[in-house]
Amino acid sequence: QVQLVESGGGLVESGGSLRLSCAASGFTLDGYSIGWFRQAPRREREGVTCINTRVGLSRFADSVMGRFTISRDNAKNTVDLQMERLQPEDTAVYYCAAVIYREFSCPLVANEYDYWGQGIQVTVSS
């Protein structure tokens, strides 16, 4: 059974850091594109970053460029999201998602993804 589980969320002060992890079970992340999305109350789900594990490329939303990094841990079969200089507007439920993506990139559009985690809350206080 394919499953994605996020961990590492919580409450942090403005300017602080958090590291989220997306653990895959039932499949290996080899060949998949993994995306991180977030959804704040009364807002649409937005793409934050993604990585194509097949070609090693990643993309970032403008709002997180230079603050967030995405990386893969082969031994743990996880994709991690390191978030630095967090701001209150980063507050949201964060989701990871997976898809086998044939292009030489990775999508930042939610409806491109086949598998989703349950989401984890990140709250940044001002």
Side-chain angles (χ1 to χ4, degrees):
Q1 180 180 1
V2 172
Q3 190 173 14
L4 297 171
V5 179
E6 302 94 343
S7 62
L11 174 65
V12 64
E13 292 185 350
S14 180
S17 302
L18 275 178
R19 187 176 184 90
L20 303 184
S21 186
C22 175
S25 61
F27 71 108
T28 177
L29 291 174
D30 284 340
Y32 279 81
S33 284
I34 306 300
W36 281 98
F37 293 79
R38 66 186 181 187
Q39 189 165 17
R42 297 175 298 281
R43 298 191 67 176
E44 292 188 359
R45 191 169 297 189
E46 65 167 335
V48 175
T49 180
C50 61
I51 184 168
N52 185 320
T53 64
R54 180 173 58 87
V55 299
L57 291 178
S58 58
R59 296 175 62 194
F60 296 88
D62 289 344
S63 58
V64 305
M65 186 78 70
R67 299 189 298 124
F68 290 13
T69 56
I70 188 170
S71 61
R72 181 187 172 190
D73 188 322
N74 292 337
K76 296 181 180 178
N77 204 32
T78 63
V79 171
D80 296 339
L81 176 62
Q82 179 68 39
M83 305 184 291
E84 306 283 350
R85 303 194 304 277
L86 285 161
Q87 301 300 318
E89 52 265 35
D90 295 315
T91 294
V93 176
Y94 282 70
Y95 301 85
C96 66
V99 66
I100 294 179
Y101 196 65
R102 305 297 182 186
E103 303 297 326
F104 200 75
S105 181
C106 56
L108 278 175
V109 178
N111 63 14
E112 294 277 0
Y113 285 83
D114 294 327
Y115 306 106
W116 288 84
Q118 80 286 353
I120 193 163
Q121 179 69 44
V122 170
T123 303
V124 185
S125 63
S126 58

